[in-house]
Amino acid sequence: MVHSKNIPWHMDAVFYELNVRAFYDSNDDGIGDLHGIAEKLDHIQQLGIDCIWLLPINPSPLEDDGYDVADYIAIHPDYGSLEDFDYLIQEAHARGLHVIVDLVINHTSDQHPWFVESRASRDNPKRDWYVWSDTDQRYGDTRIIFVDTQTSNWTYDEQTEQYYWHRFYPCQPDLNFDNPEVHQAMFDIMRFWLDRGIDGFRVDAIPYLYEREGTSCENLPETHEFVRQMRRIMDEEYPEAIMLCEANQPPQDVLEYFGDGDECHMAFHFPLMPRIFMALRSGDSTKIRTIMSETPHIPDNCQWCIFLRNHDELTLEMVTEEERQWMWEQYAPLDEMRLNLGIRRRLAPLLDNNIEKILLANRLLFSLPGAPIIYYGDEIGMGDNIDLPDRNGVRTPMQWNDGPNAGFSNAALEDLYAPPIDDPVYGYQQVNVVNQQDDSGSLLNQMHSLIALRKEHPVLALGTLAFIETGSPSVLGFVREYGDQTVLVFHNLARRLQRVEAYLDEYAGQQPQNLLNDAQTFHPIGAAPYRLSMAPYQSLWLLLNGERN
Ligand code: NOJ
C-alpha cells in the first residue's frame, strides 16, 4: 500500500519487533503462537505501530531460536499452521498494520533436508549447496562472530571427512551462494511468503553470503549482485514489499546495501545504537553528533531503521576496543551480563529503570532520522533474566497483567517456554500492560504519545538533519526540516540543569512551540543568541511557525 502522502510506507513507519514464542499463548501449551499475536493486535495498534517484524517462524530445532531453519516453507508447530499465519496477516492488514518476517538466507539448520543430503556423501547432488573443504585453513582472514563459544568457522564432518563452513553456530551451515540452485531456492522461498501477503523481509546476516580467499568474506561484490537480483524480483512482482538489511557494519559499508536504490529498502543503523547509550551515560552528546555526521546520504527511496534494543545482545562490534571496555564497565558490571562482544540486557535495566532516562532515549530515537523499532516489552519497561543462557534473558514472556504467568499463558508455570520475570522491581506484578494502560504518566502511555506526535509531524520522520551548537556538550541540538516544516530539537543528556545558547538568527521572528508539552509557547527567536534552560534529561521539540529567513 503506497502511503497517503505519496511516499512508500516504509519511509515513515514505526516498527515493533516481536518474538512469536514470547508474545501470547492462545492454546495453553506454554508457548506463544501466531493466533496469540492476532488476539493481541489491539495493543500493537493502539501503540501506533505501522509494521510488525516477526522473528523466525519456520520449523527449526531452535538451537539459535529459529535462526536455524529446517523448513523454509512451513510454520513451526509450536506457533501454529500456515492457516494461522494467513489469519494473522489478514487481521493485521485489516488494521492497517504491515508484517515483515525474517528471511534467514546465509545458512540453514544442520537438520534441514538440504544439509542432511549434502553431508550424506561427497557425490550427493546437494553436496555443493554448502561450503565444503578438505582443510580448515581456507578463508583465514574471516572473523568469528560468536566469540564466546566458537574457535573456528569450520567444523569437521566425520562421515565425509571434510570441513563445512559456518559463520554462526556449527548447527548453522552456510549455504553456498556460488551455486545457482541455491539462488533459485531462495527466490522460490521469497515468492512463497510474498504470495501469502507479507510486506517484506528482514534479511538476516546479509554480509556473509559469499566466501573469497584473501578477503574478510563480508560485503563482497558478489553478495551485492545477489541482493540486486532479490530486489529485481520484488520490484517486478511485489513492488510494495521491502527488504530490511541486517548488516552489522560501519555506515560506509551498510550504505552499499542500499545500492543505487536497487538493493535493500532499509538497513539497521548499528553504529548509532551503542553511541546513544554512551551519550546517555557520559552526559556528552559528541559521539552521537560524530556518528550521524559520518552517516552518508542514502538514496531517496531508502530509510534507516534505528533502534535501542533488540532480541540479541546489545552489540558492541561497531565501537573501538576502548569504548567497548567502557560500555562493559558502565552497563555490564557482572560477567554474566556480557555475551560475545555485547551486553545481554534489556532497555529498562540498562537505564537504571529510570523512566526519565528511558523516555529520553526514546525521544532521541524518535527525533533522529530513520524509522524507529521498538522491541516488544520495552514499551512497558520490562526487565531481563540473566540467569537464562545465551540471549534468552531478553526473550521472556510479554507481561500483560498481574495474573498468573503475567497473563501470557494459561499453562502451568513449569510448562512455559521460559518463566516470566518475577522479581520485586521488574516482576509482572508491577510491570505489565494493564497497569500502565490505566496510568496516564506510564511509560506505555508516554510511548504512545511520542509515536502519535511523530505521526502528526512528518518532519520528524522525513526531515533533513543539521546539528546546532548549543554551548553545552551535554545538550544535543539539531534542526529537522521537511517542506515548510521546521523543528528545533534539544536533548539534555545530563543529570544536571543545562543552559543552552544557540545562534538561530536564520529563524529570527519565529515563535517556537514545544511539541512535547502541549504546544507550550516559547519566547520568539531574535537576532541575539537564543537562551534556554533545560531540566535534567529534558527534551524540547520546538516547532517553528514560519519560513526561514
Ligand atoms: C542475527 C540474528 O539477529 C541472531 O539472533 C542470529 O543468531 C544470527 N543472525 C544468526 O542467524
Side-chain angles (χ1 to χ4, degrees):
M1 142 191 12
V2 171
H3 203 276
S4 53
K5 291 188 289 285
N6 251 344
I7 49 164
W9 66 268
H10 66 273
M11 296 297 289
D12 63 350
V14 177
F15 285 71
Y16 190 79
E17 174 191 359
L18 73 81
N19 195 344
V20 182
R21 168 168 301 269
F23 207 56
Y24 185 64
D25 169 18
S26 74
N27 64 349
D28 305 344
D29 64 355
I31 304 168
D33 45 56
L34 293 167
H35 219 280
I37 301 174
E39 286 181 36
K40 291 293 189 185
L41 286 175
D42 274 354
H43 171 72
I44 298 173
Q45 187 183 20
Q46 279 160 15
L47 192 57
I49 299 300
D50 300 292
C51 182
I52 303 170
W53 155 29
L54 299 179
L55 294 184
I57 50 176
N58 303 124
S60 159
L62 300 177
E63 288 182 71
D64 185 7
D65 220 354
Y67 286 98
D68 45 334
V69 176
D71 178 355
Y72 282 96
I73 52 169
I75 299 288
H76 194 294
D78 285 352
Y79 303 153
S81 61
L82 281 170
E83 288 68 43
D84 295 331
F85 183 78
D86 295 343
Y87 175 71
L88 172 60
I89 298 292
Q90 181 193 316
E91 288 295 297
H93 284 174
R95 292 157 187 265
L97 290 164
H98 296 87
V99 181
I100 64 169
V101 300
D102 247 291
L103 181 65
V104 187
I105 52 171
N106 176 66
H107 47 269
T108 69
S109 159
D110 60 359
Q111 307 298 307
H112 194 292
W114 299 339
F115 190 71
V116 173
E117 280 193 48
S118 184
R119 86 187 319 179
S121 69
R122 289 198 189 193
D123 54 10
N124 187 284
K126 288 273 185 312
R127 185 65 172 180
D128 204 27
W129 279 48
Y130 293 84
V131 182
W132 293 95
S133 160
D134 287 330
T135 112
D136 60 357
Q137 300 303 306
R138 290 169 73 197
Y139 313 135
D141 298 330
T142 310
R143 71 186 168 120
I144 289 170
I145 296 170
F146 288 159
V147 287
D148 282 3
T149 48
Q150 306 303 309
T151 51
S152 170
N153 288 314
W154 292 105
T155 287
Y156 188 64
D157 178 56
E158 301 273 342
Q159 195 173 324
T160 54
E161 298 179 328
Q162 276 192 317
Y163 295 87
Y164 65 88
W165 178 253
H166 54 86
R167 294 304 304 272
F168 297 93
Y169 291 124
C171 65
Q172 293 165 299
D174 274 35
L175 284 160
N176 175 17
F177 276 83
D178 277 319
N179 184 342
E181 289 174 2
V182 168
H183 293 200
Q184 205 45 56
M186 276 305 149
F187 298 151
D188 291 347
I189 291 162
M190 288 170 64
R191 289 191 175 101
F192 177 87
W193 293 103
L194 290 162
D195 284 341
R196 295 199 101 84
I198 60 158
D199 301 290
F201 300 106
R202 177 260 194 197
V203 190
D204 182 65
I206 216 168
Y208 317 123
L209 304 188
Y210 283 82
E211 299 74 34
R212 292 290 179 262
E213 205 57 73
T215 74
S216 66
C217 295
E218 301 191 2
N219 314 319
L220 297 178
E222 293 84 345
T223 296
H224 288 287
E225 177 49 37
F226 180 70
V227 178
R228 278 192 292 274
Q229 288 181 41
M230 292 168 79
R231 176 64 182 261
R232 272 201 289 277
I233 291 180
M234 308 221 12
D235 280 350
E236 280 162 22
E237 301 170 38
Y238 312 92
E240 284 154 29
I242 62 150
M243 291 196 290
L244 162 55
C245 156
E246 192 226 6
N248 190 352
Q249 305 280 330
Q252 283 301 339
D253 290 323
V254 179
L255 178 67
E256 308 272 301
Y257 289 96
F258 293 118
D260 294 326
D262 58 355
E263 293 197 24
C264 294
H265 305 72
M266 308 189 81
F268 293 108
H269 200 316
F270 277 99
L272 170 64
M273 179 276 297
R275 288 169 178 82
I276 293 181
F277 287 94
M278 288 180 207
L280 288 170
R281 185 67 85 172
S282 63
D284 184 334
S285 64
T286 315
K287 289 195 193 284
I288 298 183
R289 292 179 66 130
T290 308
I291 197 69
M292 291 312 291
S293 309
E294 286 168 3
T295 298
H297 179 72
I298 58 176
D300 286 344
N301 56 350
C302 295
Q303 185 60 294
W304 292 105
C305 263
I306 53 179
F307 61 101
L308 296 168
R309 288 296 293 112
N310 63 21
H311 63 290
D312 287 324
E313 67 273 30
L314 185 168
T315 163
L316 299 173
E317 279 164 81
M318 288 301 115
V319 303
T320 64
E321 181 56 39
E322 196 187 328
E323 289 170 329
R324 187 176 306 138
Q325 291 303 333
W326 186 86
M327 282 290 287
W328 270 330
E329 279 159 28
Q330 298 296 322
Y331 284 111
L334 304 179
D335 250 4
E336 53 269 41
M337 294 174 173
R338 304 178 185 187
L339 179 70
N340 300 317
L341 294 185
I343 300 173
R344 48 189 214 104
R345 302 182 70 196
R346 260 194 187 263
L347 182 64
L350 284 166
L351 300 181
D352 309 319
N353 204 24
N354 177 328
I355 188 165
E356 289 310 320
K357 278 202 239 176
I358 297 171
L359 282 167
L360 173 59
N362 279 294
R363 288 191 303 258
L364 267 164
L365 198 72
F366 278 79
S367 57
L368 285 168
I373 303 198
I374 298 170
Y375 182 49
Y376 88 92
D378 281 349
E379 75 276 28
I380 54 169
M382 266 172 59
D384 48 44
N385 179 354
I386 56 172
D387 293 337
L388 297 175
D390 204 339
R391 290 149 291 173
N392 297 342
V394 300
R395 302 176 182 179
T396 60
M398 178 69 182
Q399 297 174 192
W400 293 105
N401 58 44
D402 62 3
N405 301 331
F408 158 74
S409 168
N410 293 322
L413 177 59
E414 60 274 20
D415 291 335
L416 301 191
Y417 78 91
I421 304 284
D422 186 7
D423 65 43
V425 179
Y426 300 102
Y428 61 90
Q429 298 84 347
Q430 298 79 37
V431 178
N432 64 63
V433 172
V434 167
N435 266 355
Q436 296 199 17
Q437 272 166 344
D438 299 339
D439 167 4
S440 62
S442 69
L443 181 57
L444 178 63
N445 280 319
Q446 300 208 57
M447 289 295 292
H448 170 260
S449 308
L450 269 189
I451 297 174
L453 266 184
R454 191 179 154 102
K455 293 255 158 83
E456 267 168 56
H457 302 282
V459 58
L460 291 165
L462 302 167
T464 53
L465 172 81
F467 288 104
I468 325 177
E469 290 305 327
T470 64
S472 158
S474 292
V475 178
L476 181 68
F478 51 86
V479 192
R480 306 286 315 271
E481 287 185 325
Y482 181 65
D484 57 2
Q485 293 180 14
T486 304
V487 179
L488 302 177
V489 176
F490 296 98
H491 297 287
N492 179 6
L493 306 171
R495 70 170 92 97
R496 296 204 179 76
L497 185 133
Q498 298 291 316
R499 295 196 193 289
V500 172
E501 204 175 83
Y503 290 85
L504 303 172
D505 359 346
E506 54 193 304
Y507 303 107
Q510 303 208 34
Q511 178 97 56
Q513 292 187 314
N514 185 11
L515 298 176
L516 291 168
N517 192 356
D518 289 332
Q520 167 203 19
T521 307
F522 274 53
H523 56 279
I525 300 173
Y530 197 67
R531 294 206 170 86
L532 294 163
S533 112
M534 294 187 69
Y537 305 131
Q538 190 186 6
S539 302
L540 300 170
W541 292 0
L542 303 178
L543 182 68
L544 302 188
N545 59 351
E547 301 272 299
R548 192 186 196 156
N549 294 328

